[in-house]
Amino acid sequence: MATTKIDVPGLAAALDAQRESLDISWRQLAKEVGVSPSLLSRLRNGLRPDADGFATLVTWLGQPAETFIVRGDSDWPVQEPELVAQLAPLLRARSDLSEDDVAHIEDVIQALVRRAKAQRIQA
Amino acid sequence: MNKQHLKSLALELRAEISVDPYGVFDPYALAELYGVPVFQIGDLDCSPAARAHFAGPAVSVFSGALVPMGDGATVILENDAHAHERRRATISHELAHLVLEHDFDARLVSDRGCRVAKGHQEQEASELGAELLLPAAAALAHARRDSSNEDVADAFRVSVALATWRMNSTGARKRAQREREKRASSGLAADLRVTP
């Protein structure tokens, strides 16, 4: 039997859409919904809320809980970040960074992305 | 956000990890509570040359980075070749940017502050980061006790430079001095009144 789990990215996206339509910050949204700011931050970082938090969020959104339940064996939608590609022009534009600095920062960021992705998939 | 709001926000954040205004703030605990992983350069499988670069000749080039993962998630990278006090300040500063929801592509911190940040956002983050580590109320309490900058640094596990800056920039030293002068002059006036 397939297990089920909370669609964390879907829930975060639904909250973000509401937040944008209200034109408020995440911290203000937390107060509006009645949850802690850290719960929303954790959600945005791909961490599941506890049962009470989940119930509060879906009730506030006015949507059935099932909307945000997915099969446990479905792929975790980790978006492919193109961090180094984004960073490279910014770094190279800095006159206070040497070529060596830029190359090593790129190397370190690539290693960071690998580690962070592995940790998230594991979680 | 003005300084008063930043002070209130810092106290709110400290309370979220059960630290009162006079206790030692743990930025790693706040990062964990907010679900933001913190990684150290020394623990990554980057090239040994890169690790050596930021631990040696370019140690001041890279203090830390707030890195968006592209899907709303964020991680923090820190240079663990730096002193513990400095690492605490770097993480606090980066968390301040995160909590203040500053827009960014990626933010790298060096000795001279963030390399990719707007001026007013940088100022806000510096203020909030410092307020988290050493709240103005605590600075005033220490100024009233005439604690040295070294003692304050020790009590809050920050660098002496940061403690010195906070004790002056919050106005704590001046205010405590004024209070002492006021007490001294009112004491003198009382002495004069009882003198036959």
Side-chain angles (χ1 to χ4, degrees), chain B residues 7-194:
Chain B
K7 278 183 194 174
S8 308
L9 178 56
L11 296 184
E12 231 176 80
L13 292 165
R14 287 171 70 94
E16 285 176 33
I17 53 165
S18 307
V19 179
D20 69 26
Y22 307 98
V24 177
F25 174 68
D26 181 357
Y28 297 93
L30 189 68
E32 192 181 348
L33 180 69
Y34 273 64
V36 180
V38 180
F39 297 93
Q40 288 76 34
I41 292 182
D43 288 342
L44 296 178
D45 62 344
C46 56
S47 70
R51 205 175 296 131
H53 186 69
F54 295 117
V59 72
S60 64
V61 168
F62 192 99
S63 298
L66 188 61
V67 183
M69 296 300 291
D71 56 359
T74 311
V75 301
I76 292 176
L77 174 64
E78 64 163 340
N79 189 347
D80 50 339
H82 288 179
H84 192 58
E85 291 78 9
R86 184 160 164 198
R87 290 169 59 186
R88 287 167 43 77
T90 300
I91 305 292
S92 300
H93 183 92
E94 293 309 286
L95 284 172
H97 277 301
L98 186 96
V99 170
L100 291 165
E101 299 173 29
H102 288 161
D103 46 320
F104 63 94
D105 295 321
R107 196 169 269 118
L108 304 181
V109 196
S110 72
D111 275 355
R112 280 167 285 175
C114 293
R115 293 182 187 279
V116 188
K118 292 174 184 163
H120 72 281
Q121 293 189 345
E122 186 55 18
Q123 212 172 344
E124 272 190 351
S126 297
E127 190 68 29
L128 180 59
E131 191 69 36
L132 283 168
L133 288 164
L134 177 45
L140 182 59
H142 276 270
R144 282 174 174 153
R145 292 207 292 269
D146 208 16
S147 305
S148 68
N149 292 332
E150 288 74 15
D151 285 346
V152 174
D154 201 37
F156 290 91
R157 295 185 207 155
V158 296
S159 67
V160 175
L162 193 142
T164 306
W165 169 55
R166 287 297 287 169
M167 295 304 284
N168 293 324
S169 70
T170 57
R173 291 272 186 227
K174 275 189 183 161
R175 187 167 160 188
Q177 180 61 28
R178 274 201 305 272
E179 287 173 356
R180 272 193 287 273
E181 284 166 4
K182 203 172 165 187
R183 268 200 308 276
S185 65
S186 62
L188 185 62
D191 286 347
L192 290 171
R193 276 197 299 276
V194 297

Side-chain angles (χ1 to χ4, degrees), chain A residues 4-23:
Chain A
T4 57
K5 66 184 181 186
I6 297 170
D7 174 15
V8 176
L11 185 54
L15 288 163
D16 197 22
Q18 283 294 314
R19 183 187 72 81
E20 284 189 354
S21 72
L22 293 169
D23 194 22

Side-chain angles (χ1 to χ4, degrees), chain A residues 51-119:
Chain A
D52 285 349
F54 178 64
T56 306
L57 294 173
V58 293
T59 303
W60 185 82
L61 283 167
Q63 296 192 35
E66 296 74 39
T67 312
F68 301 107
I69 302 290
V70 290
R71 279 167 56 91
D73 53 2
S74 62
D75 288 335
W76 188 255
V78 177
Q79 201 172 320
E80 188 65 39
E82 295 172 356
L83 273 175
V84 180
Q86 288 170 17
L87 265 175
L90 291 171
L91 295 173
R92 292 196 186 108
R94 305 294 311 200
S95 56
D96 52 348
L97 291 178
S98 70
E99 274 180 37
D100 256 11
D101 293 338
V102 173
H104 289 313
I105 288 174
E106 287 180 6
D107 182 22
V108 167
I109 298 288
Q110 274 170 350
L112 171 73
V113 172
R114 284 196 298 273
R115 173 65 65 84
K117 278 175 71 176
Q119 190 165 303

